[in-house]
Amino acid sequence: MSSSESGDVNKPTVEELEKGSAVQVSSTEKNLTRKVLWKLDTRILPVLAVLFLCSFLDRTNVGNARLYNLEEDIGITDQQYDQGLAVFYATYILSEIPSNLILKKLTPQIWLPCLTFFWGVSAMCLGFVQNFAGFVGVRALLGLTEGGLLPGIVLYLSTIYTRGELALRIGVFYTAASLSGAFGGLLARGIAEIGTRGGLNRWRWIFVIEGLFTALVGIAAYFLLPNGAGSAKFLTLEERQFALSRLHAGSSHGDGSHREKEASERFSWSEVARGVFSAQTWLTASAYFGILSGLYSFGLFLPTIIAGLGYTANEAQLWSVIPYAVASVVTVCTAFLSDRFRVRGLVMLCSLPLAIVGYGVIANTNSNKVKYGMTFLMATGLYSSVPPVLGWLSNNSAGHYKRATTSALQLAIANCGGFVAVFIYPKTQGPAYHEGHTVILGLLCAGWFLILLNSLYCWKINRDKANGKYDKYRGYGDDRDPLFKLVL
């Protein structure tokens, strides 16, 4: 609903609220905007952050468990261990698009907590596997239940916040991934102190306790997450109406019309096809593939890499904390700048070189101190590039089911990086891991050029819209509408 339709012709658009443009914004509206955003940020983002923290912990704790003799206890080889990791990514990828397409029907309040509960139970089951078949089977189930979370969160946030607010919110909850690397090491170190109490080995307790925690978080999330701003009980009636009006008010960037259409949009395969065949989907997803290849290998094998530098297993858990903690701070700052200046690709063109330098140096040095120092650049460059790339495609996809498809497909393609991560860091390469680091270096360099190409592509589309080449789509209320300007 546009501002004129709502009967308030002087009501500013979302962009005017954000940028302070020509229209005079009343102090009441400014205060209400701040109040609504504060409530949404403090009630929704912490829940999503904990969900994603659990996701990353349960995905990567197998690397910590490996340090406590997982392979020897269940009698599997290095190759079988890698196969168990790979099957997780196979089912994870397959579940992403279907999960996003049914999110609107089942509602976020039900679907996201259900996913969390069931993958928590699956993670617990890893603590009781006895052989290779059990390890592979449970890892497959874990991927199937966990795969829908991140694309679902991105889609969910895109229905609550405006386009210019999305990257920072993604950055805030995504720092949970960085923090999970820090807490994962500390938590594994603490849990390992349980020893063999209850007849379970240390690595088994890591899976059982972390999985149980995740299942309980899933139950709690059902009672804490609203389906959207319009149904948030922690907002007053006036605040709910204002929160919805903000989403429908945009005009200068075409936000308002596409929000109106999405409110009543029904499933259409043509919208799915638009998402699948979007050039932006494949350009950003391919770049994200390189980023996640590095991120997953970094998260899965950092404890092993540090241990290979001469530290004990317990010391490796503790020393792995610091790079993640630094990365979490930089990620939030990068996401803030991305929203502040309404740019995505340009931010990534500056953040990715940090990781490129880190991998380039660590692959070609024998100094243990230099290697550990480079992990700071690697973590910072990788993690800080994620909020812009996730927000970018969501920002530039209008129509609920197109955005559901693009968000999920982007992650499905990118998560194929998990297969790369699994096989390029075998123990036989340690402690140098020259080949593995070189592969990631090449992928990140390619990703940088893909981001540059997508930035130029978006600039061209905006220029064509300004020149009238998209006038036939006027009134469509989606990203083809000439009023809908793509974020660079």
Side-chain angles (χ1 to χ4, degrees), residues 68-81:
Y68 296 104
N69 302 318
L70 178 151
E71 293 167 288
E72 292 81 356
D73 288 347
I74 64 175
I76 62 174
T77 65
D78 287 349
Q79 184 178 10
Q80 288 176 319
Y81 172 83

Side-chain angles (χ1 to χ4, degrees), residues 32 35-36 39 229-230 232-243:
L32 196 53
K35 186 182 295 186
V36 168
K39 287 188 176 182
K233 295 180 180 179
F234 52 80
L235 297 177
T236 65
L237 177 60
E238 179 189 15
E239 290 168 346
R240 287 197 294 270
Q241 292 174 339
F242 183 76

Side-chain angles (χ1 to χ4, degrees), residues 120-132:
V121 173
S122 301
M124 285 180 62
C125 291
L126 276 173
F128 301 99
V129 299
Q130 301 296 328
N131 51 41
F132 174 63

Side-chain angles (χ1 to χ4, degrees), residues 10 36 51 58 73-74 101 104 112 123 192 215 232 266 282 318 341 373 406 445 451 481:
N10 294 319
V36 168
L51 294 183
D58 292 332
D73 288 347
I74 64 175
L101 292 178
K104 185 177 182 179
L112 296 180
R266 293 188 176 185
W282 291 91
L318 298 175
F341 296 104
T406 57
C445 289
I451 293 301
D481 195 303

